[in-house]
Amino acid sequence: MPYNIAMISDFFFPQPGGVESHIYQLSTKLIDRGHKVIIVTHAYQGRTGVRYLTNGLKVYHVPFFVVYRETTFPTVFSFFPIFRNIVIREQIEIVHGHASLSSLCHEAILHARTMGLRTVFTDHSLFGFADAASILTNKLLKFTLSDVDHVICVSHTCKENTVLRASLDPLMVSVIPNAVVAENFRPLSLPTTTPSDGLTSPSSTHTPVPAPHHLGPNSTITIVVISRLFYNKGTDLLIAAIPRILASHPKVRFIIAGTGPKAIDLEQMIERNVLQDRVELLGPVRHEEVRDVMVRGHIYLHPSLTEAFGTVIVEAASCGLYVVCTRVGGIPEVLPAHMTTFAKPEEDDLVAATGKAIALLRANKIRTEKFHEQVKLMYSWTDVAERTERVYDGISGVLSEEEFYVGFRSGAGWSATRGRAGVQSFALIDRLKRYYGCGIWAGKLFCLCVIVDYLLFVFLELWAPRASIDIARNWPKKVVLHGSAKHEESGSGVARKRSARHREKRRDVETDNF
């Protein structure tokens, strides 16, 4: 059934990154499945106001002050007026926030619950429990997720981390991994179009595997690194390992793409060891240029210190690169063992793992030319969209409790404050109960924020009535038939109208409880 969905995050294009790519790809696939999706992010240099992307994806660039790493300054309440205006204009039903460090995401979920909207949060990161920054971030996450309908994590490790950080019921958290558009990350050995006329015939669904490319003992092996040059991405580990790897293997060179505060340290290491002819620094690269950089190499090195999923290593494997990565976070869940060599996040082990990968390639024991087809079968954004749509159905009441939670014992997790299937109640008193349990002092502060937010909502309803806000026209949708279709199409119309009436009726009942 079609929903009107708002994706909220500080992180979106033109900034490159895994979260940005995830939001864009998921949004376009949801639009293909008949939903209306908009994106709300902050204004970037040269991008303000409303923009339209491919497939009619509308992006609102809200003018807010950026503090650090494209994160807006947290104000709690100042985002509410413009957020309410956007939600009413676009007739939004579900607010889907992304990233733990996004201020817009946290504020949007708070305001959406006050307005009586369903909310979903996707966590893309891992955080610790000991340092001050992690403690504050975890407390903020607990505040937001105390009143959210469902949480999505990109790996099982990420789910365990989020459940512990926010004290969540594990039933409220689903694992839906990232994916990759395999056609955009093809090895050089694969042609871009199979038939001679450039059109792919329906019967040619299988791409022939190219002949293996053998490396000789004197062949030059290129190691590619594409990453933001920050501490958590293992740049210090990379700086320490590169001179030792190059000293042990004369026929090896590096290509490094990315930018960040550690770029200066990397340049100093190259100058200090006189490695200008063996280490090529490309600086920042656009996401559409990543494939062109990857296909120049044989090995992809990923020395990250913390990673929830690591989409870039899937892209590297799709390009036919053998992956050397650290065994941290959710990385071991991403690719099968024959595509990767794991190392501890230590200098000695990373050097040894890279040497092992070089030896395997020189011995021609790795069939990297098969990686692309294997990755293509493992990851699909269409599958991610279908699973996310099921979450939307679950929180909207379309799916029953037994259908939404397979194997869940009926009645085991019901409570007055949570309602059926873990879906949170909109009643203000129930919301205050949930926030009050967040801590001795923090709970009282959170309750105060919710009360002020509710009073601000009442004021905005009086000051700027809904009737005075124009409804935006929807982008014309292309008709997509799933499966065999006339029967499905004729039946789905009735089902969609019935479910829409059901959602409206349910929302009216729940808002009466305020």
Side-chain angles (χ1 to χ4, degrees):
M1 97 188 34
Y3 297 103
N4 295 342
I5 306 158
M7 300 285 181
I8 317 286
S9 182
D10 281 316
F11 312 111
F12 192 64
F13 297 142
Q15 175 182 262
V19 178
E20 295 82 352
S21 177
H22 178 103
I23 296 173
Y24 173 75
Q25 296 292 348
L26 175 60
S27 299
T28 55
K29 292 302 180 183
L30 287 172
I31 290 175
D32 287 342
R33 295 183 62 80
H35 304 285
K36 174 183 176 179
V37 184
I38 67 167
I39 295 174
V40 181
T41 185
H42 66 76
Y44 285 85
Q45 187 175 5
R47 294 204 184 188
T48 56
V50 181
R51 295 291 185 99
Y52 281 91
L53 302 181
T54 307
N55 209 9
L57 179 59
K58 184 188 287 188
V59 183
Y60 283 86
H61 291 278
V62 183
F64 271 93
F65 178 66
V66 176
V67 184
Y68 176 66
R69 291 181 68 174
E70 299 301 336
T71 303
T72 53
F73 182 76
T75 58
V76 185
F77 304 112
S78 65
F79 181 49
F80 201 175
I82 191 169
F83 173 77
R84 173 180 173 271
N85 193 286
I86 293 172
V87 165
I88 295 174
R89 276 177 52 83
E90 302 292 344
Q91 298 178 301
I92 297 301
E93 300 169 314
I94 297 174
V95 172
H96 191 157
H98 294 262
S100 298
L101 293 178
S102 171
S103 302
L104 284 184
C105 164
H106 292 288
E107 294 175 18
I109 290 177
L110 171 64
H111 304 326
R113 294 296 299 173
T114 301
M115 293 182 67
L117 303 176
R118 293 300 176 193
T119 55
V120 179
F121 174 77
T122 297
D123 199 359
H124 299 261
S125 306
L126 299 176
F127 286 89
F129 300 90
D131 57 297
S134 295
I135 292 171
L136 293 174
T137 303
N138 295 343
K139 183 59 72 174
L140 174 62
L141 187 70
K142 188 173 183 179
F143 166 58
T144 302
L145 300 190
S146 292
D147 193 30
V148 75
D149 290 308
H150 204 77
V151 179
I152 297 173
C153 293
V154 295
S155 66
H156 292 279
T157 303
C158 182
K159 174 180 177 177
E160 294 175 4
N161 184 262
T162 304
V163 166
L164 290 174
R165 287 161 55 207
S167 303
L168 292 174
D169 180 355
L171 282 173
M172 287 185 62
V173 186
S174 299
V175 177
I176 303 178
N178 288 326
V180 65
V181 183
E183 293 303 315
N184 294 343
F185 295 91
R186 301 170 66 90
L188 280 177
S189 53
L190 286 181
T192 53
T193 53
T194 306
S196 58
D197 59 354
L199 299 175
T200 304
S201 61
S203 59
S204 61
T205 56
H206 177 69
T207 304
V209 178
H213 176 66
H214 295 290
L215 292 171
N218 295 321
S219 300
T220 300
I221 290 181
T222 302
I223 301 176
V224 177
V225 180
I226 301 178
S227 173
R228 293 185 184 133
L229 302 179
F230 287 87
Y231 168 77
N232 64 310
K233 294 297 182 180
T235 308
D236 291 331
L237 196 59
L238 181 67
I239 291 171
I242 286 178
R244 294 180 56 182
I245 294 171
L246 294 180
S248 304
H249 306 276
K251 294 292 184 179
V252 170
R253 61 189 299 267
F254 277 82
I255 297 177
I256 302 175
T259 185
K262 293 289 183 179
I264 297 175
D265 298 337
L266 191 60
E267 293 171 359
Q268 289 176 346
M269 179 274 295
I270 294 171
E271 293 179 0
R272 185 167 57 250
N273 294 277
V274 195
L275 298 174
Q276 289 85 347
D277 58 335
R278 301 182 66 186
V279 180
E280 180 182 355
L281 295 180
L282 301 180
V285 295
R286 299 167 64 91
H287 188 261
E288 56 267 26
E289 299 170 351
V290 168
R291 181 259 179 189
D292 298 332
V293 176
M294 285 184 171
V295 295
R296 296 171 58 187
H298 304 88
I299 295 174
Y300 182 80
L301 182 59
H302 192 69
S304 183
L305 301 181
T306 174
E307 199 79 63
F309 184 82
T311 308
V312 67
I313 67 176
V314 183
E315 296 170 348
S318 180
C319 289
L321 275 68
Y322 189 63
V323 177
V324 178
C325 53
T326 47
R327 191 185 291 274
V328 296
I331 290 180
E333 305 175 27
V334 176
L335 292 174
H338 69 277
M339 294 185 182
T340 55
T341 292
F342 291 108
K344 298 176 183 177
E346 302 170 357
E347 178 186 338
D348 293 339
D349 208 47
L350 187 66
V351 172
T354 306
K356 178 183 176 182
I358 293 171
L360 288 173
L361 286 180
R362 289 202 186 279
N364 297 304
K365 293 181 178 180
I366 306 296
R367 294 290 303 275
T368 57
E369 67 278 357
K370 294 183 177 180
F371 286 2
H372 175 76
E373 286 300 315
Q374 294 169 355
V375 170
K376 193 174 180 180
L377 295 175
M378 284 189 287
Y379 291 103
S380 166
W381 280 114
T382 302
D383 178 63
V384 172
E386 289 176 358
R387 295 165 71 176
T388 305
E389 185 182 272
R390 189 176 185 278
V391 171
Y392 296 157
D393 288 340
I395 65 174
S396 300
V398 177
L399 293 178
S400 66
E401 183 176 342
E402 289 76 16
E403 290 175 311
F404 192 30
Y405 298 105
V406 179
F408 175 67
R409 290 186 297 109
S410 179
W414 192 92
S415 69
T417 57
R418 288 182 56 202
R420 60 161 296 281
V423 176
Q424 307 288 21
S425 168
F426 289 118
L428 181 60
I429 186 64
D430 290 337
R431 296 182 64 205
L432 293 177
K433 288 178 183 177
R434 290 192 289 270
Y435 286 116
Y436 192 78
C438 291
I440 297 175
W441 297 106
K444 297 178 177 62
L445 178 63
F446 295 163
C447 288
L448 180 63
C449 289
V450 174
I451 292 171
V452 172
D453 198 62
Y454 180 73
L455 294 176
L456 180 59
F457 171 64
V458 173
F459 172 77
L460 291 173
E461 289 288 322
L462 298 174
W463 182 262
R466 292 170 178 258
S468 64
I469 299 176
D470 295 331
I471 303 301
R473 296 183 63 182
N474 294 334
W475 187 270
K477 293 181 181 178
K478 59 183 180 182
V479 179
V480 179
L481 299 180
H482 302 284
S484 78
K486 286 191 180 175
H487 176 71
E488 286 187 6
E489 191 178 15
S490 60
S492 64
V494 178
R496 288 176 180 178
K497 289 179 182 177
R498 187 185 299 120
S499 59
R501 288 198 303 269
H502 175 74
R503 290 202 306 271
E504 289 175 5
K505 212 180 282 183
R506 179 171 180 165
R507 186 179 302 153
D508 291 338
V509 171
E510 288 173 330
T511 50
D512 288 342
N513 294 330
F514 275 115

